[in-house]
């Protein structure tokens, strides 16, 4: 048994309480520990990625309790990819947030580490109830992060809605789990995958309801239409680095749906229409947004839509393109929310609203970063957004309704392009007048709102630019090495669809 | 007993959903509490309703009380309890920040205009 497997959960689980209990008053020490922990996670993630890439499925029985009875951790290619992605995004977002966000309220670093712990646990666990528990760990941390640093009535209310929505989701999760347990008598995912095939016909209805509810819960987490309504309000109102970290959280829902679909093929018939609707809502939202934060939220929605189109293919080739797009979408969303936060910090009084304003500091460099990420998000060549969309389009060629899918993806990409071009020209191109000129022209401009950020944060651009640059370099790597990465994703998807191998690896061949 | 438990779960779920759909944060907190009670009962019932049975298998041919759902309920109770407390704190904070108990999301200017003097 390889004990490194539990490290991605153990490391933040040890560091986070240490941050709360021992070094809560020393921000420098807290930063050092938090960054150190994230680097450790990245190293372990890289090691596990190397381990998993040989195609074996490794298991770790916690407390050495045999799998169907005890809780088991499972490391396959998909888990390893998600762990590495989480560690990388977590580290760079943390790097960004130590420029000031972590000082605006208490306990940023412990909550951040607990969030990473919950994410890693959700990606590793092979037990349904344990998945629920890790969902709760990451959600509880995210509730704290969501309202980090106060932020006034709007953020608190958005946080309140977010908490209420997720608590309802958790209740549904428990109901689904109880239904499934009452029929199969097990909560181990591999054992479930085996037992659902020999359920008596009388209990089949209960099992179906359980599976449908489970799909609904994961769709809620990943903001699939019509359960997407919470996402724009939450992401646009969360603190910038937190919204960037949340880009991984929607992917937890996607990850769970991928597991559910490959192990039991529940919910497949609804995925494609819901995915296309999500794509439409997202791209119309990009056009209609009144602030850059909102626009980034709707861009997230649109990318989730594209992702689910690939997943709905229910074959390994389509799923592999979806996994490639998943990595791309996570990196893009994380980067664009950091840029939104930079714009807010540098435009006191105007924030990220899509209106003209006087020139502001660091306008040029922020514009360059926005341009790079907008190219990636819209799917314009040469970055990974383009490659990812081409791959998804190719994989849907075999579908009976591919003209519909293609036209929706093309039109929504065009909408995204127009929306991003508009906000870019408004925020960076047209903000070219000095404050005095601006006051003369726009005499009826309303007074800047009160929530303008302190000017101390205006001049610091180096570390944020480095953090965003690191995320962008990952996107470049994803684009340049598209061929080996998509081959790896092919192997991942094939491993996922070989559910017999998963069951055998977890439970042993003889059972 | 099945009828009693089923009725209790149904009533609490219905009440919970009704309260959850109201616009005040206080009702939402109550609704979520109701919903989690219903869910706890429901998980409990998933291990079959038995009375006066041992929770370990003494006689493999006889019946026993399934201990696993009871353990699951315990976890669910702890989590929902903590979450209700957090939700209450956030509603109180929201009330003090915006001066109203409504859970809807306004634009910032609307909140300023609705502020109590």
């Amino acid at each position: 048994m390889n004990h490194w497997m539990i490290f991605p959960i153990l490391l933040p689980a040890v560091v986070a309480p240490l941050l709360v209990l021992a070094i809560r008053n020393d921000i420098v020490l807290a930063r050092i520990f938090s960054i150190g922990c994230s680097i450790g996670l990245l190293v372990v993630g890289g090691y596990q990625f190397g381990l998993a890439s040989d195609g074996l499925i490794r298991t770790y029985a916690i407390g050495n309790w045999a799998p169907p009875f005890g809780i088991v951790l499972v490391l396959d290619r998909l888990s390893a990819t998600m762990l590495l992605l989480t560690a990388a995004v977590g580290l760079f977002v943390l790097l960004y947030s130590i420029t000031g966000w972590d000082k605006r309220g208490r306990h940023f670093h412990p909550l951040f580490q607990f969030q990473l712990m919950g994410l890693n646990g959700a990606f590793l666990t092979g037990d349904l109830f344990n998945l629920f528990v890790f969902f709760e760990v990451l959600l509880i941390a995210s509730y704290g992060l969501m309202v980090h640093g106060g932020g006034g009535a709007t953020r608190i209310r958005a946080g309140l809605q977010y908490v209420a929505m997720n608590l309802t989701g958790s209740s549904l999760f428990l109901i689904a789990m109880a239904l499934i347990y009452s029929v199969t008598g097990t909560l181990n995912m591999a054992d479930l995958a085996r037992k659902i095939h020999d359920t008596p016909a009388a209990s089949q209805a209960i099992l179906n309801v359980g599976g449908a509810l489970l799909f609904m819960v994961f769709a809620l987490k990943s903001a699939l239409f019509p359960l997407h309504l919470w996402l724009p309000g939450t992401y646009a109102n969360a603190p910038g680095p937190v919204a960037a970290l949340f880009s991984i959280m929607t992917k937890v829902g996607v990850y769970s749906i991928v597991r559910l679909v490959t192990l039991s093929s529940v919910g497949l018939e609804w995925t494609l229409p819901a995915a296309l609707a999500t794509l439409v809502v997202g791209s119309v939202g990009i056009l209609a947004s009144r602030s850059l934060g909102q626009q980034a939220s709707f861009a997230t929605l649109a990318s989730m839509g594209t992702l689910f189109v690939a997943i709905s293919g229910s074959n390994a080739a389509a799923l592999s393109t979806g996994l490639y797009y998943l990595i791309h979408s996570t990196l893009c969303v994380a980067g664009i929310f950091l840029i939104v936060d930079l714009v807010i910090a540098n435009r006191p009084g105007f924030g990220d609203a899509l209106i003209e304003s006087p020139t502001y500091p660091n306008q040029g460099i922020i514009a360059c970063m926005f341009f790079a990420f907008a190219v990636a998000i819209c799917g314009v060549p040469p970055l990974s957004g383009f490659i990812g969309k081409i791959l998804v389009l190719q994989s849907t060629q075999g579908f009976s309704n591919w003209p519909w899918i293609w036209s929706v993806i093309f039109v929504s990409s065009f909408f995204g392009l127009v929306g991003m071009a508009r906000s870019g020209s408004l925020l960076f191109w047209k903000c070219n007048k000095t404050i005095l000129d601006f006051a003369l022209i726009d005499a009826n401009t309303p007074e800047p709102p009160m929530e303008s950020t302190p000017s101390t944060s205006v001049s610091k651009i180096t570390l944020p630019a480095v953090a965003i640059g690191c995320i962008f370099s990952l996107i470049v790597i994803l684009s340049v090495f598209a061929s080996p990465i998509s081959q790896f994703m092919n192997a991942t998807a094939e491993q996922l669809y070989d559910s017999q191998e998963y069951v055998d690896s977890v439970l042993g061949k003889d059972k | 007993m099945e009828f009693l438990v089923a009725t209790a779960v149904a009533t609490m779920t219905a009440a919970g959903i009704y309260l959850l759909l109201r616009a005040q944060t206080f009702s939402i907190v109550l609704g979520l509490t109701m919903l989690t009670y219903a869910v706890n009962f429901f998980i409990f019932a998933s291990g079959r309703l038995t009375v006066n049975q041992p929770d370990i298998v003494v006689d493999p041919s006889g019946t026993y009380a399934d201990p696993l759902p009871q353990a699951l309920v315990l976890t669910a109770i702890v989590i929902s309890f903590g979450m209700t407390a957090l939700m209450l704190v956030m509603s109180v904070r929201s009330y003090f920040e915006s001066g109203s108990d409504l859970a809807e999301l306004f634009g910032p200017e609307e909140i300023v205009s609705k502020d109590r003097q």
Side-chain angles (χ1 to χ4, degrees), chain A residues 161-182:
Chain A
Q161 290 185 354
Y162 174 68
V163 175
M165 187 280 303
N166 271 306
L167 287 184
T168 318
S170 300
S171 301
L172 278 182
F173 197 159
L174 286 172
I175 292 174
M177 206 197 56
L179 282 172
I180 292 172
Y181 178 78
S182 71

Side-chain angles (χ1 to χ4, degrees), chain B residues 36-76:
Chain B
T36 47
Y37 282 161
V39 168
N40 290 343
F41 261 106
F42 190 76
I43 302 175
F44 195 72
S46 75
R48 305 292 184 273
L49 299 168
T50 48
V51 180
N52 286 336
Q53 298 292 331
D55 57 358
I56 46 172
V57 185
V58 186
D59 166 24
S61 59
T63 53
Y64 64 98
D66 193 344
L68 191 67
Q70 304 177 18
L72 302 184
V73 167
L74 211 56
T75 315

Side-chain angles (χ1 to χ4, degrees), chain A residues 221-434:
Chain A
K221 308 278 179 213
S222 47
L224 190 62
F225 180 88
L227 302 168
H228 65 283
L229 292 165
W230 62 275
L231 189 139
T234 305
Y235 279 40
N237 287 304
V242 174
L245 186 65
F246 280 7
S247 68
I248 287 274
M249 267 189 21
T250 41
K251 304 305 182 292
V252 179
V254 178
Y255 167 86
S256 312
I257 284 185
V258 168
R259 283 260 180 258
L260 188 71
V261 163
T262 52
L263 287 177
S264 73
S265 68
V266 160
L268 269 177
E269 61 271 33
W270 310 315
T271 313
L272 185 60
L276 292 179
T278 314
L279 195 51
V280 170
V281 169
S283 51
V284 171
I286 291 178
L287 278 186
S289 300
R290 288 193 295 174
S291 72
L292 195 59
Q294 265 182 3
Q295 196 166 45
S297 315
F298 281 108
T300 313
L301 262 187
S303 74
M304 298 308 281
T306 316
L307 188 48
F308 274 108
V309 167
I311 291 175
S312 70
S314 75
N315 61 55
L319 182 60
S320 76
T321 64
L323 295 177
Y324 181 88
Y325 200 79
L326 184 150
I327 300 177
H328 154 79
S329 143
T330 311
L331 294 173
C332 280
V333 170
I336 199 83
F337 274 110
L338 294 184
I339 293 170
V340 172
D341 190 58
L342 266 188
V343 171
I344 295 175
N346 283 287
R347 281 214 319 176
F350 292 91
D352 62 341
L354 294 178
I355 46 173
E356 287 178 46
S357 74
T359 53
Y360 48 92
N362 305 318
Q363 197 173 348
I365 185 160
I366 299 175
C368 291
M369 293 191 281
F370 176 81
F371 180 69
F373 274 91
V375 164
I377 285 185
C378 297
V380 180
L383 291 176
S384 55
F386 176 69
I387 302 167
K389 267 188 187 154
I390 290 284
L391 287 173
V392 171
L393 287 176
Q394 265 182 351
S395 74
T396 55
Q397 257 178 339
F399 294 14
S400 54
N401 41 8
W402 67 269
W404 276 102
I405 302 172
W406 280 42
S407 46
V408 170
I409 290 184
F410 279 135
V411 171
S412 65
S413 299
F414 177 68
F415 277 17
L417 194 64
V418 172
M420 285 282 173
R422 170 173 161 264
S423 59
S425 58
L426 267 174
L427 281 177
F428 304 110
W429 211 283
K430 289 196 169 176
C431 299
N432 54 1
K433 301 178 185 70
T434 61

Side-chain angles (χ1 to χ4, degrees), chain A residues 129 132-133 136 140 143-144 146-147 150-161 163-164 167-168 170-172 174-179 181-183 185-187 233-234 237 290 450-451, chain B residues 20 25 28 32 35-36 39-40 42-43 45-48 66 68-69 71-73 75-76 79 83-84 86-87 90-91 93-94 97-109 111-112:
Chain A
F129 193 77
F132 166 77
V133 173
E136 288 304 310
I140 292 167
Y143 302 152
M146 170 77 206
V147 291
T154 321
R155 182 175 295 160
I156 296 281
R157 278 199 181 169
L160 201 66
Q161 290 185 354
V163 175
L167 287 184
T168 318
S170 300
S171 301
L172 278 182
L174 286 172
I175 292 174
M177 206 197 56
L179 282 172
Y181 178 78
S182 71
V183 175
T186 181
L187 288 171
T234 305
N237 287 304
R290 288 193 295 174
M450 289 65 66
E451 78 240 56
Chain B
L20 198 61
T25 51
I28 293 176
L32 281 171
L35 203 58
T36 47
V39 168
N40 290 343
F42 190 76
I43 302 175
S46 75
R48 305 292 184 273
D66 193 344
L68 191 67
L72 302 184
V73 167
T75 315
I79 291 177
M83 286 302 95
T84 311
L86 178 90
M87 188 82 189
M90 284 182 69
S91 344
R93 178 70 188 269
S94 161
E97 291 267 353
S98 64
S100 89
D101 190 29
L102 287 175
E104 272 131 33
L105 203 59
F106 301 110
E109 58 285 338
I111 285 183
V112 173

